[in-house]
Structure formats: structure tokens, C-alpha cells
């Protein structure tokens, strides 16, 4: 596998985490109220992205392959929980 192929596979692996993470951050900004001390939307998106990548890696390790629907469900739950925590939404 060449370096470009490896980079392509890695980017395609993390693309769902990037999309879900930043969409959660933007949806939280649009539909939620801004709590005092909550970080900027791009920081929230970066945190959600990191949590999403960890969820995808966990699914890859547990199922042995990429793209399992249970892994994607765990990605959505992990990013939503991360967004709830990073936006400090529990006190509303």
C-alpha cells in the first residue's frame, strides 16, 4: 500500500467522526442556548471529533472491521453525549 493509499484510508475512516462531531456542535449552537463558560463551536466540534474517532477505533477493535452499524450508532451516542457535556447543557 502506498502512502497516498494509506492516507486515503485513514481520512475515509475518520470522515464520519468529523461530520458528526461538527454537525453536533453546529446543531447545539443553533438549537441550544449558550451556557456561560461554554467554549466556541469549533472547540466543541474538535472535542466531539476526538471522541468520535475513539468510538470508531473502539468499534473497529471490538467488531474486527470498519463500518459496522453498531459502531456508527456508538459514534452518534458518543458525539451527542460529548456535545452535551462540553456545552454544559446539564444545568438548563
Amino acid at each position: 500500500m502506498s502512502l497516498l493509499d494509506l492516507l486515503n484510508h485513514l481520512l475515509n475512516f475518520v470522515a464520519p467522526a468529523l461530520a458528526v462531531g461538527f454537525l453536533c456542535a453546529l446543531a447545539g449552537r443553533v438549537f441550544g442556548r449558550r451556557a456561560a463558560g461554554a467554549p466556541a463551536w469549533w472547540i466543541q466540534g474538535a472535542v466531539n471529533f476526538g471522541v468520535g474517532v475513539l468510538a470508531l477505533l473502539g468499534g473497529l477493535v471490538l467488531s474486527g472491521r470498519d463500518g459496522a452499524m453498531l459502531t456508527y450508532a456508538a459514534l452518534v451516542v458518543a458525539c451527542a453525549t460529548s456535545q452535551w457535556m462540553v456545552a454544559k447543557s446539564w444545568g438548563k
Side-chain angles (χ1 to χ4, degrees):
M1 181 181 304
S2 70
L3 182 61
L4 287 177
D5 288 336
L6 178 64
L7 183 64
N8 184 29
H9 283 287
L10 288 175
L11 289 176
N12 284 322
F13 178 73
V14 299
L18 182 70
V20 172
F22 277 94
L23 284 175
C24 278
L26 291 175
R29 181 118 172 129
V30 170
F31 296 114
R33 291 180 291 201
R34 186 159 172 103
W41 70 270
W42 60 272
I43 295 174
Q44 293 177 12
V47 170
N48 294 340
F49 170 68
V51 168
V53 168
L54 290 176
L56 290 175
L57 282 172
L60 178 64
V61 168
L62 290 176
S63 69
R65 64 182 186 91
D66 179 30
M69 290 306 293
L70 187 62
T71 302
Y72 291 138
L75 168 68
V76 171
V77 169
C79 283
T81 304
S82 171
Q83 178 62 32
W84 176 73
M85 290 177 69
V86 78
K88 299 180 180 180
S89 298
W90 59 83
K92 294 181 183 177

